[in-house]
Amino acid sequence: MGFGMRWCNWIKWCISSPSLSVLVNGGPTKQFSMDIGLRQGDPLSPFLFNIAVEVLSSMLDKAKHMDLLKGAVFGNGEVHISHLQFADDTRVVVPHPPFLDLSFYVDGSARGNPGEAGIGGILRDLRGRILYLFSFYVGVLDAFSVEVMAIHRACQLISGKSSVAWRAITIFSDSKSAVDCILGSDFGNLQLVNFVYDIRQFLNSSDGFDIKFMSRSANSSADCLAKAGSLGRRDRLEWGNV
């Protein structure tokens, strides 16, 4: 900000020279140096704070002009606000992230019916970028049950990812029987009642959420993850940046 060396040395001396003592069992200790910082109530504190805040404000303004900080637009586009400051509070205005149309491809794999089983899934955006994936072992299950569990796991992940601003999410499964069961009125076998109920509750309570059937050939990536999960009892893979 263009302060001279003498002025900077004055401020440095003011910050490094204060001493204080602490009350221990009602009595003060010997005074000791603070090395750096100001005592509470020091009249110099608000002036130094204003200088630091002014620098921060200038940096935010520069970031806005460089399109690094979008801010928000009010009225007829005449008012642009990137940050607000009052006293010792600073608020940076960040627009809401864009809403996304997402696809969650899931699959279940059982080595036998029943057999060692695993589930897998990949969450992608419209550009095909991978946002999340999972693959892990789920026990000894029949083919139908493991497909329902894969769909259920996708619903759990979606409901737990509040940082994702989605407009529409479609879960794709290559098990027509599992999709028909969830979208129908039957609950399948008794072991799946809770899973199917949870999926239907999420389906009914979430706008823009859908479950669809797709061919196995179009779901090959999720199929590979599910098969990998069925092979490893101890291996568990979950990755994502959402």
Side-chain angles (χ1 to χ4, degrees):
M1 297 183 69
F3 295 107
M5 184 58 66
R6 176 179 294 184
W7 188 91
C8 292
N9 288 334
W10 288 344
I11 299 302
K12 184 177 180 181
W13 181 84
C14 290
I15 292 176
S16 59
S17 62
S19 59
L20 53 82
S21 60
V22 179
L23 289 177
V24 177
N25 295 328
T29 63
K30 291 183 179 180
Q31 290 195 344
F32 57 89
S33 175
M34 292 178 58
D35 291 332
I36 189 169
L38 295 171
R39 288 174 293 188
Q40 186 174 3
D42 192 307
L44 185 60
S45 178
F47 294 103
L48 294 179
F49 176 81
N50 286 341
I51 291 173
V53 167
E54 180 64 26
V55 174
L56 174 61
S57 179
S58 298
M59 293 174 64
L60 292 173
D61 283 334
K62 185 177 180 179
K64 183 181 69 173
H65 293 315
M66 295 174 63
D67 285 333
L68 299 176
L69 181 63
K70 298 298 183 181
V73 180
F74 297 90
N76 295 323
E78 299 176 354
V79 181
H80 295 256
I81 297 178
S82 60
H83 60 286
L84 300 170
Q85 292 179 307
F86 178 77
D88 60 350
D89 291 327
T90 298
R91 292 192 177 188
V92 179
V93 181
V94 179
H96 196 281
F99 288 92
L100 303 174
D101 291 332
L102 306 177
S103 298
F104 212 144
Y105 303 91
V106 299
D107 196 13
S109 177
R111 294 188 291 140
N113 196 23
E116 304 283 336
I119 59 176
I122 301 178
L123 178 64
R124 296 180 183 270
D125 63 13
L126 284 177
R127 297 181 181 179
R129 295 177 300 185
I130 298 176
L131 304 179
Y132 204 89
L133 60 82
F134 68 88
S135 170
F136 50 86
Y137 177 82
V138 292
V140 177
L141 295 169
D142 60 88
F144 174 76
S145 297
V146 74
E147 295 284 1
V148 173
M149 288 189 66
I151 297 173
H152 183 265
R153 180 55 181 164
C155 293
Q156 284 183 319
L157 290 170
I158 293 169
S159 62
K161 299 298 178 183
S162 57
S163 61
V164 179
W166 53 274
R167 176 175 56 195
I169 294 184
T170 303
I171 294 180
F172 291 98
S173 170
D174 58 25
S175 172
K176 191 173 187 305
S177 58
V179 173
D180 289 343
C181 174
I182 292 169
L183 299 180
S185 58
D186 192 13
F187 282 93
N189 60 55
L190 293 177
Q191 295 178 339
L192 298 176
V193 169
N194 290 334
F195 292 102
V196 175
Y197 178 80
D198 288 345
I199 296 170
R200 289 177 181 172
Q201 285 290 101
F202 185 69
L203 183 64
N204 294 330
S205 61
S206 304
D207 294 332
F209 177 69
D210 198 8
I211 299 175
K212 293 183 178 180
F213 166 75
M214 73 182 314
S215 65
R216 182 174 295 275
S217 60
N219 202 30
S220 58
S221 297
D223 180 54
C224 290
L225 289 171
K227 288 179 178 178
S230 68
L231 295 173
R233 294 191 176 189
R234 297 182 180 179
D235 298 332
R236 183 185 181 97
L237 171 64
E238 286 198 70
W239 174 89
N241 57 4
V242 294

